[in-house]
Amino acid sequence: MKIGILSTNKNLYSTRRLVEAGVERGHEMPVINHKRAYMNITSHNPSIHIKGENITGIDAIIPRIGASVSFYGTAVVRQFEMMGVYSVNESVAITRSRDKLRAVQLLSRKGIGLPVTGFANSPDDTEDLLQFVGGAPVVIKLLEGTQGVGVVLAETKKAAESVIEAFSGLKANFMVQEFIKEAGGSDIRCFVVGDKVVASMLRQGKEGEFRSNLHRGGSAKLIKITPEERSTAVRSAKVMGLNVAGVDLLRSNHGPVVMEVNSSPGLEGIETATKKDVAGMIIEFIEKNAKQGKTRTRGKG
Ligand code: ADP
Ligand code: MG
């Protein structure tokens, strides 16, 4: 097969591993820089081009879209879908999971465990919002943040009010969440491929840090997850419509709660912590499932 990897940097660990795993299995693995791709949107023969070259003959794509290029990146994924190319994660699923509010709303409809979350527009409603989530301490997060940036722990009511006032003043969209203290600055990354958790790791924030992001100095180790955690992760990926997802859970005293569902989960941390060939499992999934025109979102945007 010819499997395109949408990535802006072919030297990144995840990109390199996917190329390697595909080539090992006899596939052609072009890396397509979605930032440089441009498209001809036409009814009968939509196409994608890079530096004058028409990109053709691609059987499937693996989107690795960074948060800073969500809009353009998902447009390129969608264009491939319009051309009938199978995408392991569809554009609409990527868009859903990128917006933290939209994601928790969709997950809540399916009864998935979540930290109690409030969302409002007017600062006049702050009092009520804080009450919804049980009062301070609370976590306040920007809807489109990533790698722990834009996630704030407000330990007192006063601190929460100031942060909310500041975010509102900047016209930034944010949500307010119950603080899951008992997680102790750790979370569980479940790597889902298809309908299975193929690898999982525990991430622990560095000393004094409530955010477990590896980018914030957290460390990772192998962990055995419970059947409830496993099914929560698989169901969450399914609700988003993602075939490949990194589902982040916290262990709360009311069971596993989902933090977020990542549509381009990194491979380095999880492969290093678990010694598993996760890249190979993604390629195998594509071998079994990729078919021309097999995109559920066709015609529905
Ligand atoms: P990002 O997309 O920036 O990674 P997250 O929502 O995943 O944002 O939050 C970053 C980290 O902060 C999480 O991995 C978790 O360790 C911690 N965290 C976020 N929300 C909460 C919460 N409600 N309670 C406890 N810890 C939280
Ligand atoms: Mg996160």
Side-chain angles (χ1 to χ4, degrees):
M1 289 172 75
K2 192 165 172 183
I3 306 173
I5 302 172
L6 267 51
S7 167
T8 54
N9 184 350
K10 62 181 187 325
N11 298 317
L12 292 178
Y13 178 95
S14 302
T15 312
R16 279 194 286 115
R17 282 285 300 125
L18 287 164
V19 170
E20 194 177 276
V23 169
E24 244 170 50
R25 287 166 178 75
H27 303 298
E28 218 182 310
M29 303 292 298
V31 176
I32 298 167
N33 182 348
H34 47 274
K35 265 177 133 168
R36 293 303 311 270
Y38 51 99
M39 48 205 126
N40 185 342
I41 302 156
T42 176
S43 294
H44 298 295
N45 192 17
S47 57
I48 296 185
H49 307 254
I50 293 185
K51 295 183 192 161
E53 186 197 344
N54 192 355
I55 307 293
T56 55
I58 306 276
D59 298 300
I61 54 168
I62 306 175
R64 306 275 325 164
I65 311 290
S68 60
V69 285
S70 291
F71 179 79
Y72 199 78
T74 51
V76 175
V77 175
R78 195 158 51 238
Q79 182 75 354
F80 274 111
E81 290 166 10
M82 298 306 129
M83 292 159 61
V85 175
Y86 174 84
S87 179
V88 71
N89 280 340
E90 292 184 5
S91 59
V92 70
I94 299 170
T95 306
R96 261 181 214 141
S97 64
R98 275 288 144 87
D99 176 339
K100 287 177 200 261
L101 178 69
R102 184 174 179 185
V104 293
Q105 285 180 309
L106 294 173
L107 293 170
S108 77
R109 178 169 62 187
K110 296 292 175 185
I112 304 240
L114 297 165
V116 181
T117 300
F119 183 63
N121 182 38
S122 163
D124 295 347
D125 306 316
T126 300
E127 187 80 33
D128 251 11
L129 209 56
L130 291 176
Q131 254 185 31
F132 285 169
V133 303
V138 296
V139 173
I140 302 167
K141 51 177 95 163
L142 296 176
L143 294 196
E144 303 222 6
T146 181
Q147 301 182 347
V149 181
V151 179
V152 180
L153 173 61
E155 311 214 39
T156 63
K157 183 165 179 241
K158 268 263 138 311
E161 286 166 354
S162 313
V163 173
I164 290 173
E165 202 178 12
F167 281 178
S168 306
L170 293 168
K171 307 261 177 275
N173 281 316
F174 60 88
M175 57 194 198
V176 178
Q177 252 176 12
E178 158 197 20
F179 175 48
I180 311 294
K181 188 165 191 283
E182 60 274 22
S186 69
D187 76 350
I188 298 171
R189 160 60 57 94
C190 301
F191 204 108
V192 178
V193 177
D195 55 5
K196 284 196 190 74
V197 175
V198 298
S200 52
M201 62 178 170
L202 180 84
R203 298 181 299 195
Q204 177 71 52
K206 64 175 187 218
E207 185 73 31
E209 172 62 70
F210 81 103
R211 295 166 297 182
S212 56
N213 302 66
L214 300 182
H215 285 98
R216 309 236 66 78
S219 57
K221 66 171 198 228
L222 198 66
I223 189 184
K224 198 167 158 40
I225 58 171
T226 66
E228 192 188 7
E229 287 162 351
R230 194 170 284 280
S231 86
T232 300
V234 170
R235 283 168 60 220
S236 301
K238 203 179 195 112
V239 172
M240 292 295 116
L242 295 167
N243 290 312
V244 172
V247 181
D248 297 341
L249 306 173
L250 296 186
R251 281 186 170 162
S252 84
N253 48 27
H254 46 95
V257 292
V258 175
M259 278 287 91
E260 61 175 339
V261 185
N262 198 309
S263 57
S264 298
L267 294 177
E268 187 166 15
I270 196 87
E271 288 197 333
T272 309
T274 64
K275 311 267 185 290
K276 285 190 179 165
D277 176 15
V278 178
M281 298 190 236
I282 295 173
I283 304 294
E284 271 167 28
F285 178 86
I286 293 172
E287 288 167 356
K288 290 201 188 96
N289 292 281
K291 277 201 198 74
Q292 173 79 9
K294 193 184 167 188
T295 58
R296 279 165 304 186
T297 47
R298 261 177 109 206
K300 284 188 277 165

CSV table of all heavy atoms in Angstrom, one decimal, residues 3-19 29-37 48 50-51 55 58 60-69 72-74 76-77 80 87-88 94 98 263-267:
chain,number,residue,atom,x,y,z
A,3,ILE,N,0.9,4.5,2.0
A,3,ILE,CA,0.3,5.2,3.2
A,3,ILE,C,1.0,6.5,3.4
A,3,ILE,O,2.2,6.5,3.8
A,3,ILE,CB,0.4,4.2,4.4
A,3,ILE,CG1,-0.2,2.8,4.1
A,3,ILE,CG2,-0.3,4.9,5.6
A,3,ILE,CD1,0.1,1.8,5.2
A,4,GLY,N,0.3,7.6,3.3
A,4,GLY,CA,0.8,8.9,3.5
A,4,GLY,C,0.8,9.3,5.0
A,4,GLY,O,-0.3,9.1,5.6
A,5,ILE,N,1.8,9.8,5.5
A,5,ILE,CA,1.8,10.4,6.8
A,5,ILE,C,1.8,11.9,6.8
A,5,ILE,O,2.7,12.5,6.2
A,5,ILE,CB,3.1,9.9,7.6
A,5,ILE,CG1,3.2,8.4,7.6
A,5,ILE,CG2,3.0,10.5,9.1
A,5,ILE,CD1,4.5,7.9,8.2
A,6,LEU,N,0.7,12.4,7.3
A,6,LEU,CA,0.6,13.9,7.3
A,6,LEU,C,1.4,14.4,8.5
A,6,LEU,O,1.0,14.3,9.6
A,6,LEU,CB,-0.9,14.3,7.4
A,6,LEU,CG,-1.6,14.6,6.0
A,6,LEU,CD1,-1.4,13.4,5.1
A,6,LEU,CD2,-3.0,14.9,6.2
A,7,SER,N,2.6,15.0,8.2
A,7,SER,CA,3.4,15.5,9.3
A,7,SER,C,4.3,16.6,8.7
A,7,SER,O,4.7,16.6,7.6
A,7,SER,CB,4.3,14.3,9.8
A,7,SER,OG,5.4,14.8,10.6
A,8,THR,N,4.5,17.6,9.6
A,8,THR,CA,5.3,18.7,9.1
A,8,THR,C,6.8,18.5,9.3
A,8,THR,O,7.6,19.3,8.9
A,8,THR,CB,4.9,20.0,9.9
A,8,THR,OG1,5.1,19.7,11.3
A,8,THR,CG2,3.5,20.4,9.6
A,9,ASN,N,7.2,17.4,10.0
A,9,ASN,CA,8.6,17.2,10.2
A,9,ASN,C,8.9,15.7,10.2
A,9,ASN,O,8.5,14.9,11.1
A,9,ASN,CB,8.9,17.7,11.6
A,9,ASN,CG,10.4,17.6,11.9
A,9,ASN,OD1,11.2,17.0,11.2
A,9,ASN,ND2,10.8,18.3,13.0
A,10,LYS,N,9.6,15.2,9.2
A,10,LYS,CA,9.9,13.8,9.0
A,10,LYS,C,10.9,13.3,10.0
A,10,LYS,O,11.1,12.1,10.1
A,10,LYS,CB,10.3,13.5,7.6
A,10,LYS,CG,11.6,14.1,7.1
A,10,LYS,CD,11.8,13.7,5.6
A,10,LYS,CE,13.1,14.1,5.0
A,10,LYS,NZ,13.7,15.4,5.4
A,11,ASN,N,11.5,14.2,10.8
A,11,ASN,CA,12.5,13.7,11.7
A,11,ASN,C,11.9,13.5,13.1
A,11,ASN,O,12.6,13.0,14.0
A,11,ASN,CB,13.6,14.8,11.9
A,11,ASN,CG,14.4,14.9,10.5
A,11,ASN,OD1,14.7,13.9,9.9
A,11,ASN,ND2,14.6,16.2,10.1
A,12,LEU,N,10.7,13.8,13.3
A,12,LEU,CA,10.0,13.5,14.6
A,12,LEU,C,10.0,12.0,14.9
A,12,LEU,O,9.8,11.2,14.0
A,12,LEU,CB,8.6,14.1,14.6
A,12,LEU,CG,8.4,15.6,14.6
A,12,LEU,CD1,7.0,15.9,14.6
A,12,LEU,CD2,9.1,16.2,15.8
A,13,TYR,N,10.1,11.7,16.2
A,13,TYR,CA,10.2,10.2,16.5
A,13,TYR,C,8.9,9.5,16.0
A,13,TYR,O,9.1,8.5,15.3
A,13,TYR,CB,10.2,10.1,18.1
A,13,TYR,CG,10.2,8.7,18.5
A,13,TYR,CD1,11.3,8.0,18.8
A,13,TYR,CD2,8.9,8.0,18.7
A,13,TYR,CE1,11.3,6.6,19.2
A,13,TYR,CE2,8.9,6.7,19.1
A,13,TYR,CZ,10.1,6.0,19.4
A,13,TYR,OH,10.0,4.7,19.8
A,14,SER,N,7.7,10.1,16.2
A,14,SER,CA,6.5,9.4,15.8
A,14,SER,C,6.5,9.2,14.3
A,14,SER,O,6.1,8.1,13.8
A,14,SER,CB,5.3,10.2,16.2
A,14,SER,OG,5.3,10.4,17.6
A,15,THR,N,6.9,10.2,13.5
A,15,THR,CA,6.8,10.1,12.1
A,15,THR,C,7.9,9.1,11.6
A,15,THR,O,7.5,8.2,10.8
A,15,THR,CB,7.2,11.5,11.4
A,15,THR,OG1,6.4,12.5,12.1
A,15,THR,CG2,7.0,11.5,9.9
A,16,ARG,N,9.0,9.1,12.2
A,16,ARG,CA,10.1,8.2,11.8
A,16,ARG,C,9.7,6.7,12.1
A,16,ARG,O,9.8,5.8,11.3
A,16,ARG,CB,11.4,8.4,12.6
A,16,ARG,CG,12.2,9.6,12.0
A,16,ARG,CD,13.6,9.6,12.5
A,16,ARG,NE,13.6,10.1,13.9
A,16,ARG,CZ,14.0,9.4,15.0
A,16,ARG,NH1,14.3,8.1,14.9
A,16,ARG,NH2,14.0,9.9,16.2
A,17,ARG,N,9.0,6.5,13.2
A,17,ARG,CA,8.6,5.2,13.6
A,17,ARG,C,7.5,4.6,12.7
A,17,ARG,O,7.5,3.5,12.3
A,17,ARG,CB,8.2,5.1,15.1
A,17,ARG,CG,9.3,5.1,16.0
A,17,ARG,CD,10.0,3.7,16.1
A,17,ARG,NE,9.0,2.7,16.5
A,17,ARG,CZ,8.8,1.6,15.9
A,17,ARG,NH1,9.4,1.4,14.7
A,17,ARG,NH2,7.9,0.8,16.3
A,18,LEU,N,6.6,5.5,12.3
A,18,LEU,CA,5.5,5.1,11.4
A,18,LEU,C,6.1,4.7,10.0
A,18,LEU,O,5.7,3.7,9.4
A,18,LEU,CB,4.4,6.1,11.3
A,18,LEU,CG,3.6,6.3,12.5
A,18,LEU,CD1,2.8,7.6,12.5
A,18,LEU,CD2,2.6,5.1,12.7
A,19,VAL,N,7.0,5.5,9.5
A,19,VAL,CA,7.7,5.2,8.3
A,19,VAL,C,8.4,3.8,8.3
A,19,VAL,O,8.1,2.9,7.5
A,19,VAL,CB,8.7,6.3,7.9
A,19,VAL,CG1,9.5,5.9,6.7
A,19,VAL,CG2,8.0,7.6,7.6
A,29,MET,N,5.8,4.7,2.2
A,29,MET,CA,5.4,5.6,3.3
A,29,MET,C,5.8,7.0,3.0
A,29,MET,O,6.7,7.5,3.7
A,29,MET,CB,6.0,5.1,4.6
A,29,MET,CG,5.6,3.6,5.0
A,29,MET,SD,3.9,3.3,5.4
A,29,MET,CE,3.7,4.4,6.8
A,30,PRO,N,5.2,7.7,2.1
A,30,PRO,CA,5.6,9.1,1.9
A,30,PRO,C,5.1,10.0,3.0
A,30,PRO,O,4.0,9.8,3.6
A,30,PRO,CB,4.8,9.5,0.6
A,30,PRO,CG,3.6,8.6,0.5
A,30,PRO,CD,4.1,7.3,1.2
A,31,VAL,N,6.0,10.9,3.4
A,31,VAL,CA,5.6,11.9,4.4
A,31,VAL,C,5.1,13.2,3.7
A,31,VAL,O,5.8,13.7,2.8
A,31,VAL,CB,6.8,12.3,5.3
A,31,VAL,CG1,6.4,13.4,6.3
A,31,VAL,CG2,7.3,11.0,6.1
A,32,ILE,N,3.9,13.5,4.0
A,32,ILE,CA,3.3,14.7,3.3
A,32,ILE,C,3.2,15.8,4.3
A,32,ILE,O,2.5,15.7,5.3
A,32,ILE,CB,1.8,14.3,2.8
A,32,ILE,CG1,2.0,13.1,1.8
A,32,ILE,CG2,1.1,15.5,2.2
A,32,ILE,CD1,0.7,12.4,1.5
A,33,ASN,N,3.8,16.9,4.0
A,33,ASN,CA,3.8,18.1,4.8
A,33,ASN,C,2.4,18.9,4.6
A,33,ASN,O,2.3,19.6,3.6
A,33,ASN,CB,5.0,19.0,4.6
A,33,ASN,CG,5.0,20.2,5.5
A,33,ASN,OD1,4.0,20.5,6.2
A,33,ASN,ND2,6.1,20.9,5.5
A,34,HIS,N,1.5,18.7,5.5
A,34,HIS,CA,0.1,19.3,5.2
A,34,HIS,C,0.2,20.8,5.2
A,34,HIS,O,-0.7,21.4,4.6
A,34,HIS,CB,-0.9,18.7,6.3
A,34,HIS,CG,-0.4,18.8,7.7
A,34,HIS,ND1,0.3,17.8,8.2
A,34,HIS,CD2,-0.5,19.7,8.6
A,34,HIS,CE1,0.6,18.1,9.5
A,34,HIS,NE2,0.1,19.3,9.8
A,35,LYS,N,1.2,21.4,5.8
A,35,LYS,CA,1.3,22.8,5.8
A,35,LYS,C,1.6,23.3,4.4
A,35,LYS,O,1.3,24.5,4.0
A,35,LYS,CB,2.3,23.3,6.8
A,35,LYS,CG,1.8,23.7,8.1
A,35,LYS,CD,2.9,24.1,9.0
A,35,LYS,CE,3.1,25.1,9.8
A,35,LYS,NZ,4.2,25.1,10.7
A,36,ARG,N,2.3,22.5,3.6
A,36,ARG,CA,2.7,22.9,2.3
A,36,ARG,C,1.7,22.3,1.2
A,36,ARG,O,1.9,22.6,0.0
A,36,ARG,CB,4.1,22.4,1.9
A,36,ARG,CG,5.2,23.0,2.7
A,36,ARG,CD,5.2,24.6,2.5
A,36,ARG,NE,5.2,25.0,1.1
A,36,ARG,CZ,6.2,25.2,0.4
A,36,ARG,NH1,7.4,25.0,0.9
A,36,ARG,NH2,6.1,25.5,-0.9
A,37,ALA,N,0.7,21.6,1.6
A,37,ALA,CA,-0.2,21.0,0.7
A,37,ALA,C,-1.3,22.1,0.3
A,37,ALA,O,-1.7,22.8,1.2
A,37,ALA,CB,-0.9,19.8,1.3
A,48,ILE,N,-4.9,17.3,-4.5
A,48,ILE,CA,-4.0,17.9,-3.5
A,48,ILE,C,-2.6,18.0,-4.2
A,48,ILE,O,-2.2,17.1,-4.9
A,48,ILE,CB,-3.9,17.0,-2.3
A,48,ILE,CG1,-5.2,17.0,-1.6
A,48,ILE,CG2,-2.8,17.5,-1.3
A,48,ILE,CD1,-5.3,16.3,-0.3
A,50,ILE,N,1.6,19.5,-3.9
A,50,ILE,CA,2.7,20.1,-3.1
A,50,ILE,C,3.8,20.5,-4.1
A,50,ILE,O,4.3,19.7,-4.9
A,50,ILE,CB,3.3,19.1,-2.1
A,50,ILE,CG1,2.3,18.7,-1.0
A,50,ILE,CG2,4.6,19.6,-1.4
A,50,ILE,CD1,2.7,17.8,0.1
A,51,LYS,N,4.2,21.7,-4.0
A,51,LYS,CA,5.3,22.3,-4.9
A,51,LYS,C,5.1,21.9,-6.3
A,51,LYS,O,6.0,21.4,-6.9
A,51,LYS,CB,6.7,21.8,-4.4
A,51,LYS,CG,7.0,22.4,-3.0
A,51,LYS,CD,8.4,21.9,-2.6
A,51,LYS,CE,8.7,22.2,-1.1
A,51,LYS,NZ,9.8,21.4,-0.6
A,55,ILE,N,-0.5,15.1,-5.9
A,55,ILE,CA,-0.3,13.9,-5.0
A,55,ILE,C,-1.4,12.9,-5.4
A,55,ILE,O,-2.6,13.1,-5.1
A,55,ILE,CB,-0.4,14.3,-3.5
A,55,ILE,CG1,0.5,15.5,-3.2
A,55,ILE,CG2,-0.2,13.1,-2.6
A,55,ILE,CD1,2.0,15.1,-3.2
A,58,ILE,N,-2.4,7.6,-3.4
A,58,ILE,CA,-2.4,7.3,-1.9
A,58,ILE,C,-3.6,6.4,-1.5
A,58,ILE,O,-4.7,6.7,-1.9
A,58,ILE,CB,-2.4,8.6,-1.1
A,58,ILE,CG1,-1.3,9.6,-1.6
A,58,ILE,CG2,-2.3,8.4,0.4
A,58,ILE,CD1,0.0,9.4,-1.0
A,60,ALA,N,-4.1,5.4,1.8
A,60,ALA,CA,-4.5,5.7,3.2
A,60,ALA,C,-3.6,6.8,3.7
A,60,ALA,O,-2.5,7.0,3.3
A,60,ALA,CB,-4.4,4.5,4.1
A,61,ILE,N,-4.2,7.5,4.7
A,61,ILE,CA,-3.3,8.5,5.4
A,61,ILE,C,-3.4,8.4,6.9
A,61,ILE,O,-4.4,7.9,7.4
A,61,ILE,CB,-3.7,10.0,5.0
A,61,ILE,CG1,-5.2,10.3,5.2
A,61,ILE,CG2,-3.3,10.3,3.5
A,61,ILE,CD1,-5.6,11.7,5.2
A,62,ILE,N,-2.3,8.8,7.5
A,62,ILE,CA,-2.2,8.8,9.0
A,62,ILE,C,-2.0,10.3,9.3
A,62,ILE,O,-0.9,10.8,9.1
A,62,ILE,CB,-1.0,8.0,9.5
A,62,ILE,CG1,-1.1,6.6,9.0
A,62,ILE,CG2,-1.0,8.1,11.1
A,62,ILE,CD1,0.1,5.7,9.4
A,63,PRO,N,-3.0,11.0,9.7
A,63,PRO,CA,-2.8,12.4,10.1
A,63,PRO,C,-2.1,12.6,11.4
A,63,PRO,O,-2.4,12.0,12.4
A,63,PRO,CB,-4.3,13.0,10.2
A,63,PRO,CG,-5.2,11.9,9.8
A,63,PRO,CD,-4.4,10.6,9.9
A,64,ARG,N,-1.1,13.4,11.4
A,64,ARG,CA,-0.4,13.8,12.6
A,64,ARG,C,-0.4,15.3,12.6
A,64,ARG,O,0.6,16.0,12.2
A,64,ARG,CB,1.1,13.3,12.6
A,64,ARG,CG,1.3,11.8,12.3
A,64,ARG,CD,1.2,11.0,13.5
A,64,ARG,NE,1.7,11.6,14.7
A,64,ARG,CZ,1.5,11.1,16.0
A,64,ARG,NH1,0.7,10.1,16.2
A,64,ARG,NH2,2.0,11.7,17.0
A,65,ILE,N,-1.5,15.8,13.1
A,65,ILE,CA,-1.8,17.3,13.0
A,65,ILE,C,-1.5,18.0,14.3
A,65,ILE,O,-2.2,17.7,15.3
A,65,ILE,CB,-3.3,17.5,12.6
A,65,ILE,CG1,-3.7,16.7,11.4
A,65,ILE,CG2,-3.5,19.0,12.3
A,65,ILE,CD1,-3.1,17.1,10.0
A,66,GLY,N,-0.6,18.9,14.3
A,66,GLY,CA,-0.3,19.6,15.5
A,66,GLY,C,-1.4,20.6,15.9
A,66,GLY,O,-2.1,21.0,15.0
A,67,ALA,N,-1.5,20.9,17.2
A,67,ALA,CA,-2.6,21.7,17.6
A,67,ALA,C,-2.6,23.1,17.0
A,67,ALA,O,-3.6,23.7,16.8
A,67,ALA,CB,-2.5,21.9,19.1
A,68,SER,N,-1.4,23.6,16.6
A,68,SER,CA,-1.3,25.0,16.1
A,68,SER,C,-1.8,25.0,14.6
A,68,SER,O,-2.0,26.1,14.1
A,68,SER,CB,0.1,25.5,16.2
A,68,SER,OG,1.0,24.6,15.5
A,69,VAL,N,-1.9,23.9,14.0
A,69,VAL,CA,-2.4,23.9,12.6
A,69,VAL,C,-3.7,23.1,12.4
A,69,VAL,O,-3.9,22.5,11.3
A,69,VAL,CB,-1.3,23.4,11.6
A,69,VAL,CG1,-0.3,24.5,11.4
A,69,VAL,CG2,-0.7,22.1,12.0
A,72,TYR,N,-6.0,24.2,9.3
A,72,TYR,CA,-5.5,23.9,7.9
A,72,TYR,C,-5.3,22.4,7.8
A,72,TYR,O,-5.6,21.8,6.8
A,72,TYR,CB,-4.2,24.7,7.7
A,72,TYR,CG,-3.9,24.7,6.2
A,72,TYR,CD1,-4.6,25.6,5.3
A,72,TYR,CD2,-3.0,23.8,5.6
A,72,TYR,CE1,-4.4,25.5,4.0
A,72,TYR,CE2,-2.8,23.7,4.2
A,72,TYR,CZ,-3.5,24.6,3.4
A,72,TYR,OH,-3.3,24.6,2.1
A,73,GLY,N,-4.7,21.8,8.8
A,73,GLY,CA,-4.5,20.3,8.8
A,73,GLY,C,-5.7,19.5,8.6
A,73,GLY,O,-5.7,18.6,7.7
A,74,THR,N,-6.8,19.9,9.3
A,74,THR,CA,-8.0,19.1,9.1
A,74,THR,C,-8.6,19.3,7.7
A,74,THR,O,-9.3,18.5,7.2
A,74,THR,CB,-9.1,19.3,10.2
A,74,THR,OG1,-9.3,20.8,10.3
A,74,THR,CG2,-8.6,18.8,11.5
A,76,VAL,N,-6.9,19.6,5.0
A,76,VAL,CA,-6.2,18.7,4.1
A,76,VAL,C,-6.7,17.3,4.3
A,76,VAL,O,-6.9,16.6,3.3
A,76,VAL,CB,-4.6,18.8,4.4
A,76,VAL,CG1,-3.9,17.8,3.5
A,76,VAL,CG2,-4.1,20.2,4.1
A,77,VAL,N,-6.9,16.9,5.5
A,77,VAL,CA,-7.4,15.5,5.8
A,77,VAL,C,-8.8,15.4,5.1
A,77,VAL,O,-9.1,14.4,4.4
A,77,VAL,CB,-7.6,15.3,7.3
A,77,VAL,CG1,-8.3,13.9,7.5
A,77,VAL,CG2,-6.2,15.3,8.0
A,80,PHE,N,-8.5,14.8,1.4
A,80,PHE,CA,-8.2,13.4,1.1
A,80,PHE,C,-9.4,12.6,1.1
A,80,PHE,O,-9.7,11.7,0.3
A,80,PHE,CB,-7.1,12.9,2.0
A,80,PHE,CG,-5.7,13.1,1.6
A,80,PHE,CD1,-4.9,14.0,2.3
A,80,PHE,CD2,-5.1,12.5,0.5
A,80,PHE,CE1,-3.5,14.3,1.9
A,80,PHE,CE2,-3.8,12.7,0.1
A,80,PHE,CZ,-3.0,13.6,0.8
A,87,SER,N,-8.7,7.7,5.7
A,87,SER,CA,-7.9,8.3,6.8
A,87,SER,C,-8.1,7.6,8.1
A,87,SER,O,-9.3,7.3,8.5
A,87,SER,CB,-8.3,9.8,7.0
A,87,SER,OG,-7.6,10.4,8.0
A,88,VAL,N,-7.0,7.2,8.7
A,88,VAL,CA,-7.2,6.4,9.9
A,88,VAL,C,-8.0,7.1,11.0
A,88,VAL,O,-8.8,6.6,11.7
A,88,VAL,CB,-5.8,5.8,10.4
A,88,VAL,CG1,-4.9,6.9,11.0
A,88,VAL,CG2,-6.0,4.7,11.4
A,94,ILE,N,-11.1,14.5,14.4
A,94,ILE,CA,-10.0,15.2,14.9
A,94,ILE,C,-10.5,16.6,15.5
A,94,ILE,O,-10.1,17.0,16.6
A,94,ILE,CB,-8.9,15.5,13.8
A,94,ILE,CG1,-8.4,14.2,13.3
A,94,ILE,CG2,-7.8,16.4,14.3
A,94,ILE,CD1,-7.5,14.2,12.1
A,98,ARG,N,-10.3,18.0,19.4
A,98,ARG,CA,-9.4,19.1,19.7
A,98,ARG,C,-10.1,20.2,20.6
A,98,ARG,O,-9.4,20.9,21.3
A,98,ARG,CB,-9.1,19.8,18.3
A,98,ARG,CG,-8.0,19.3,17.6
A,98,ARG,CD,-6.7,19.6,18.2
A,98,ARG,NE,-5.7,18.5,18.1
A,98,ARG,CZ,-4.9,18.3,17.0
A,98,ARG,NH1,-4.9,19.2,16.1
A,98,ARG,NH2,-4.1,17.3,17.0
A,263,SER,N,-6.0,13.1,19.3
A,263,SER,CA,-6.1,12.4,18.0
A,263,SER,C,-4.7,12.2,17.3
A,263,SER,O,-4.7,11.5,16.3
A,263,SER,CB,-7.0,13.3,17.1
A,263,SER,OG,-6.4,14.6,17.0
A,264,SER,N,-3.7,12.8,17.8
A,264,SER,CA,-2.3,12.6,17.3
A,264,SER,C,-1.4,12.2,18.4
A,264,SER,O,-0.4,12.9,18.7
A,264,SER,CB,-1.8,13.8,16.5
A,264,SER,OG,-2.5,14.1,15.4
A,265,PRO,N,-1.7,11.1,19.1
A,265,PRO,CA,-0.9,10.8,20.3
A,265,PRO,C,0.6,10.5,19.9
A,265,PRO,O,0.8,9.8,18.9
A,265,PRO,CB,-1.6,9.6,20.9
A,265,PRO,CG,-2.3,9.0,19.8
A,265,PRO,CD,-2.7,10.1,18.9
A,266,GLY,N,1.5,11.0,20.7
A,266,GLY,CA,2.9,10.8,20.4
A,266,GLY,C,3.3,9.3,20.7
A,266,GLY,O,2.7,8.6,21.5
A,267,LEU,N,4.3,8.8,20.0
A,267,LEU,CA,4.7,7.4,20.1
A,267,LEU,C,5.9,7.2,21.0
A,267,LEU,O,6.1,6.2,21.6
A,267,LEU,CB,5.0,6.8,18.7
A,267,LEU,CG,3.8,6.7,17.8
A,267,LEU,CD1,4.3,6.2,16.4
A,267,LEU,CD2,2.8,5.8,18.4
